[in-house]
mmCIF file of all heavy atoms in Angstrom:
data_model
loop_
_atom_site.group_PDB
_atom_site.id
_atom_site.type_symbol
_atom_site.label_atom_id
_atom_site.label_comp_id
_atom_site.label_asym_id
_atom_site.label_seq_id
_atom_site.Cartn_x
_atom_site.Cartn_y
_atom_site.Cartn_z
ATOM 1 N N ALA H 191 72.920 139.501 124.469
ATOM 2 C CA ALA H 191 74.374 139.317 124.373
ATOM 3 C C ALA H 191 74.922 138.725 125.664
ATOM 4 O O ALA H 191 75.753 137.802 125.641
ATOM 5 C CB ALA H 191 75.051 140.654 124.069
ATOM 6 N N LYS H 192 74.419 139.193 126.820
ATOM 7 C CA LYS H 192 74.896 138.669 128.115
ATOM 8 C C LYS H 192 74.438 137.221 128.303
ATOM 9 O O LYS H 192 75.165 136.374 128.799
ATOM 10 C CB LYS H 192 74.392 139.556 129.251
ATOM 11 C CG LYS H 192 75.050 140.940 129.261
ATOM 12 C CD LYS H 192 74.497 141.840 130.343
ATOM 13 C CE LYS H 192 75.232 143.167 130.370
ATOM 14 N NZ LYS H 192 74.666 144.098 131.380
ATOM 15 N N PHE H 193 73.198 136.953 127.844
ATOM 16 C CA PHE H 193 72.660 135.582 127.971
ATOM 17 C C PHE H 193 73.473 134.600 127.129
ATOM 18 O O PHE H 193 73.631 133.432 127.494
ATOM 19 C CB PHE H 193 71.196 135.566 127.527
ATOM 20 C CG PHE H 193 70.529 134.231 127.648
ATOM 21 C CD1 PHE H 193 70.080 133.758 128.875
ATOM 22 C CD2 PHE H 193 70.350 133.419 126.523
ATOM 23 C CE1 PHE H 193 69.467 132.514 128.995
ATOM 24 C CE2 PHE H 193 69.748 132.176 126.619
ATOM 25 C CZ PHE H 193 69.307 131.715 127.874
ATOM 26 N N GLN H 194 74.040 135.076 126.036
ATOM 27 C CA GLN H 194 74.767 134.183 125.137
ATOM 28 C C GLN H 194 76.203 133.928 125.590
ATOM 29 O O GLN H 194 76.934 133.168 124.995
ATOM 30 C CB GLN H 194 74.730 134.735 123.706
ATOM 31 C CG GLN H 194 73.340 134.659 123.084
ATOM 32 C CD GLN H 194 73.360 134.956 121.610
ATOM 33 O OE1 GLN H 194 74.423 134.986 120.992
ATOM 34 N NE2 GLN H 194 72.183 135.168 121.038
ATOM 35 N N ASP H 195 76.585 134.575 126.717
ATOM 36 C CA ASP H 195 77.927 134.320 127.271
ATOM 37 C C ASP H 195 77.925 132.930 127.888
ATOM 38 O O ASP H 195 77.222 132.688 128.869
ATOM 39 C CB ASP H 195 78.219 135.389 128.341
ATOM 40 C CG ASP H 195 79.581 135.159 129.003
ATOM 41 O OD1 ASP H 195 80.072 134.010 128.992
ATOM 42 O OD2 ASP H 195 80.132 136.140 129.528
ATOM 43 N N PRO H 196 78.699 131.988 127.347
ATOM 44 C CA PRO H 196 78.633 130.587 127.819
ATOM 45 C C PRO H 196 78.977 130.434 129.292
ATOM 46 O O PRO H 196 78.456 129.548 129.970
ATOM 47 C CB PRO H 196 79.652 129.867 126.938
ATOM 48 C CG PRO H 196 80.449 130.919 126.242
ATOM 49 C CD PRO H 196 79.661 132.169 126.239
ATOM 50 N N ASP H 197 79.788 131.354 129.820
ATOM 51 C CA ASP H 197 80.155 131.244 131.245
ATOM 52 C C ASP H 197 78.986 131.633 132.143
ATOM 53 O O ASP H 197 78.865 131.181 133.283
ATOM 54 C CB ASP H 197 81.365 132.153 131.549
ATOM 55 C CG ASP H 197 82.606 131.720 130.767
ATOM 56 O OD1 ASP H 197 82.685 130.499 130.472
ATOM 57 O OD2 ASP H 197 83.403 132.594 130.419
ATOM 58 N N LEU H 198 78.125 132.534 131.642
ATOM 59 C CA LEU H 198 77.041 133.054 132.493
ATOM 60 C C LEU H 198 75.686 132.429 132.202
ATOM 61 O O LEU H 198 74.779 132.470 133.031
ATOM 62 C CB LEU H 198 76.944 134.585 132.306
ATOM 63 C CG LEU H 198 78.113 135.409 132.878
ATOM 64 C CD1 LEU H 198 77.965 136.882 132.499
ATOM 65 C CD2 LEU H 198 78.216 135.261 134.399
ATOM 66 N N GLN H 199 75.546 131.817 131.028
ATOM 67 C CA GLN H 199 74.224 131.332 130.628
ATOM 68 C C GLN H 199 73.608 130.358 131.651
ATOM 69 O O GLN H 199 72.425 130.498 131.988
ATOM 70 C CB GLN H 199 74.253 130.694 129.237
ATOM 71 C CG GLN H 199 72.842 130.427 128.713
ATOM 72 C CD GLN H 199 72.811 130.013 127.281
ATOM 73 O OE1 GLN H 199 72.736 128.816 126.993
ATOM 74 N NE2 GLN H 199 72.882 130.981 126.376
ATOM 75 N N PRO H 200 74.379 129.390 132.174
ATOM 76 C CA PRO H 200 73.753 128.470 133.163
ATOM 77 C C PRO H 200 73.169 129.217 134.365
ATOM 78 O O PRO H 200 72.069 128.909 134.836
ATOM 79 C CB PRO H 200 74.900 127.556 133.573
ATOM 80 C CG PRO H 200 75.885 127.648 132.448
ATOM 81 C CD PRO H 200 75.799 129.060 131.919
ATOM 82 N N LYS H 201 73.870 130.259 134.812
ATOM 83 C CA LYS H 201 73.380 131.030 135.970
ATOM 84 C C LYS H 201 72.108 131.784 135.580
ATOM 85 O O LYS H 201 71.115 131.810 136.325
ATOM 86 C CB LYS H 201 74.475 132.013 136.403
ATOM 87 C CG LYS H 201 74.146 132.783 137.684
ATOM 88 C CD LYS H 201 74.050 131.850 138.891
ATOM 89 C CE LYS H 201 73.727 132.616 140.166
ATOM 90 N NZ LYS H 201 73.329 131.685 141.261
ATOM 91 N N TYR H 202 72.109 132.395 134.399
ATOM 92 C CA TYR H 202 70.906 133.093 133.943
ATOM 93 C C TYR H 202 69.717 132.131 133.851
ATOM 94 O O TYR H 202 68.611 132.428 134.315
ATOM 95 C CB TYR H 202 71.144 133.777 132.585
ATOM 96 C CG TYR H 202 71.831 135.123 132.679
ATOM 97 C CD1 TYR H 202 73.059 135.353 132.063
ATOM 98 C CD2 TYR H 202 71.253 136.173 133.389
ATOM 99 C CE1 TYR H 202 73.707 136.583 132.147
ATOM 100 C CE2 TYR H 202 71.891 137.410 133.494
ATOM 101 C CZ TYR H 202 73.108 137.609 132.877
ATOM 102 O OH TYR H 202 73.741 138.830 132.993
ATOM 103 N N ILE H 203 69.939 130.963 133.292
ATOM 104 C CA ILE H 203 68.856 129.989 133.142
ATOM 105 C C ILE H 203 68.288 129.612 134.498
ATOM 106 O O ILE H 203 67.066 129.580 134.717
ATOM 107 C CB ILE H 203 69.347 128.744 132.355
ATOM 108 C CG1 ILE H 203 69.580 129.109 130.899
ATOM 109 C CG2 ILE H 203 68.336 127.599 132.474
ATOM 110 C CD1 ILE H 203 70.246 128.023 130.053
ATOM 111 N N GLN H 204 69.183 129.392 135.463
ATOM 112 C CA GLN H 204 68.741 129.022 136.817
ATOM 113 C C GLN H 204 67.887 130.140 137.423
ATOM 114 O O GLN H 204 66.812 129.910 137.978
ATOM 115 C CB GLN H 204 69.984 128.780 137.689
ATOM 116 C CG GLN H 204 69.685 128.464 139.154
ATOM 117 C CD GLN H 204 70.896 128.782 140.050
ATOM 118 O OE1 GLN H 204 72.034 128.903 139.569
ATOM 119 N NE2 GLN H 204 70.638 128.937 141.328
ATOM 120 N N LEU H 205 68.330 131.413 137.267
ATOM 121 C CA LEU H 205 67.596 132.549 137.861
ATOM 122 C C LEU H 205 66.300 132.824 137.119
ATOM 123 O O LEU H 205 65.292 133.214 137.727
ATOM 124 C CB LEU H 205 68.503 133.782 137.828
ATOM 125 C CG LEU H 205 69.764 133.714 138.692
ATOM 126 C CD1 LEU H 205 70.645 134.957 138.469
ATOM 127 C CD2 LEU H 205 69.411 133.565 140.173
#
Side-chain angles (χ1 to χ4, degrees):
K192 291 177 177 177
F193 182 78
Q194 290 191 13
D195 178 336
D197 297 332
L198 291 174
Q199 190 170 98
K201 185 66 180 167
Y202 278 120
I203 289 172
Q204 177 202 342
L205 295 174

